[in-house]
């Protein structure tokens, strides 16, 4: 899996004011919905919140991978945002989150979903990769940092 296949420049936002977990998830949902008109932002937001109620998607080291299944999704879709100020995300290491990489999969995706999630988590657990994302100063620089080989 290439990260480049998950995100696009239009779904990559650098230095956003998050404010709260709920607001950050809303930003991710709206960012995806603006780039992919078939996906309803409000419905996506509800699904992301529903997934978070099952357990936090904060994987540690200031990173969260909010994810859910979406009916009108034809393939795996991602969005990446970095926040100006880290937010509480109930992460497994209790650290606040400043990198959020959302992942949506079709309703019927099973093994693919788990493999993509594992690959993405592996990349985001790499300290050099996280540092590269945090150093980005613009949307374009963040996108380039995200898709560059590890």
């Amino acid at each position: 899996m290439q990260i480049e296949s998950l995100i696009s420049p239009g779904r990559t936002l650098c230095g956003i004011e998050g404010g709260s977990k709920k607001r950050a998830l809303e930003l991710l949902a709206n960012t995806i919905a603006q780039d992919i008109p078939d996906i309803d932002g409000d419905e996506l937001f509800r699904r992301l919140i529903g997934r978070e109620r099952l357990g936090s998607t904060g994987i540690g080291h200031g990173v969260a991978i909010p994810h859910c299944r979406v009916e009108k999704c034809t393939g795996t879709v991602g969005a990446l945002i970095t926040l100006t100020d880290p937010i509480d995300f109930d992460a497994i290491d209790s650290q606040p989150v400043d990198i959020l990489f959302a992942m949506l999969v079709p309703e019927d995706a099973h093994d693919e979903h788990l493999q993509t999630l594992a690959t993405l988590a592996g990349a985001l657990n790499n300290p050099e990769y996280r540092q590269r994302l945090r150093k980005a100063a613009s949307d374009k620089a963040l996108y380039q940092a995200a898709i560059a080989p590890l």
Side-chain angles (χ1 to χ4, degrees):
M1 180 225 45
Q2 297 289 327
I3 289 178
E4 190 171 8
S5 68
L6 297 178
I7 61 174
S8 71
R11 295 190 309 269
T12 308
L13 301 174
C14 179
I16 302 300
E17 286 289 329
S20 69
K21 182 178 189 176
K22 187 175 179 181
R23 178 68 182 129
L25 293 172
E26 184 178 36
L27 285 166
L28 283 166
N30 289 337
T31 298
I32 292 168
Q34 287 173 2
D35 196 52
I36 304 173
D38 287 346
I39 295 177
D40 178 78
D42 292 335
E43 175 62 21
L44 177 54
F45 175 61
R46 283 190 292 276
R47 287 180 180 255
L48 289 171
I49 289 288
R51 170 56 190 85
E52 287 299 318
R53 286 189 185 121
L54 297 175
S56 177
T57 57
I59 64 168
H61 307 291
V63 177
I65 308 176
H67 56 280
C68 64
R69 296 179 189 282
V70 178
E71 287 178 19
K72 294 183 180 176
C73 194
T74 57
T76 304
V77 173
L80 171 64
I81 63 172
T82 57
L83 303 176
T84 54
D85 298 307
I87 58 172
D88 180 33
F89 216 84
D90 301 317
I92 60 171
D93 64 356
S94 300
Q95 296 299 308
V97 165
D98 65 339
I99 298 172
L100 292 99
F101 201 124
M103 191 179 86
L104 315 180
V105 296
E107 284 282 356
D108 59 355
H110 297 289
D111 291 341
E112 170 196 342
H113 169 221
L114 296 176
Q115 289 174 333
T116 303
L117 190 58
T119 302
L120 186 55
L124 290 163
N125 273 319
N126 180 318
E128 293 171 13
Y129 186 68
R130 290 192 311 270
Q131 184 175 3
R132 198 165 70 194
L133 297 179
R134 287 186 173 114
K135 283 185 175 181
S138 68
D139 295 351
K140 183 178 180 178
L142 179 60
Y143 176 75
Q144 291 300 321
I147 66 169
L150 291 174

